């Protein structure tokens, strides 16, 4: 496998795009050697779903599209970023007992930490932001 691989897709800020983002990342990871039924693949799909949902739901119509970037470095580190054009960073909302939403970042942080990864938010030159997760690549390297 190459030292660096990357893929990206830009999707409309629409609830249906959450499924598209999850499917796209799942397809890319399978192409790069991660079995679709691997526990790590399930974790990544859930993280991507939460990130894409945040990009759609919390931009209040100020981001007509969002972009999903997937990067693999030296078969060691997987990075996934979701970029939107809304300037506000994600906020951790108080966990109310009756609350039906607002826990996406808590879920993302917990899953990322549980996998030994990290989460960061970076501004874009255009005034938006990218929420990045970095995870160890858990697929065994195949010797040729």
């Amino acid at each position: 496998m190459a030292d660096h691989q990357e893929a990206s897709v830009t999707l409309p800020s629409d609830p249906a795009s959450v499924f598209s983002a999850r499917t796209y990342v799942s397809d890319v990871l399978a192409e790069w050697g991660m079995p679709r039924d691997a526990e790590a693949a399930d974790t990544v799909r859930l993280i991507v779903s939460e990130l894409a949902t945040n990009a759609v739901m919390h931009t209040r119509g100020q981001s007509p599209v969002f972009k999903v970037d997937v990067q693999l470095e030296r078969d060691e580190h997987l990075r996934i970023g979701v970029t939107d054009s809304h300037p506000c960073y994600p906020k951790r909302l108080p966990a109310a007992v009756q609350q039906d939403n607002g826990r996406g970042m808590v879920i993302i942080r917990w899953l990322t930490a549980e996998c030994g990864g990290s989460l960061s938010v970076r501004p874009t030159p255009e005034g938006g932001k990218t929420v990045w997760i970095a995870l160890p690549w858990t697929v065994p390297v195949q010797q040729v």
Side-chain angles (χ1 to χ4, degrees), residues 34-109:
M34 181 179 283
R36 291 181 193 275
D37 61 350
E39 185 176 335
D42 289 339
T43 300
V44 170
R45 280 191 291 269
L46 180 52
I47 289 170
V48 169
S49 290
E50 292 296 333
L51 289 172
T53 297
N54 284 351
V56 170
M57 302 303 291
H58 299 294
T59 59
R60 298 182 225 29
Q62 292 186 19
S63 184
V65 297
F66 67 95
K67 182 179 176 188
V68 180
D69 291 294
V70 188
Q71 302 171 352
L72 180 58
E73 296 286 337
R74 291 187 164 85
D75 294 330
E76 295 174 1
H77 300 96
L78 175 67
R79 287 177 32 98
I80 299 172
V82 174
T83 303
D84 63 60
S85 57
H86 193 278
C88 292
Y89 280 33
K91 295 177 185 164
R92 189 180 305 189
L93 301 175
V97 176
Q98 299 295 327
Q99 190 172 328
D100 289 334
N101 59 19
R103 294 188 180 100
M105 288 306 294
V106 172
I107 292 168
I108 294 165
R109 286 179 196 280

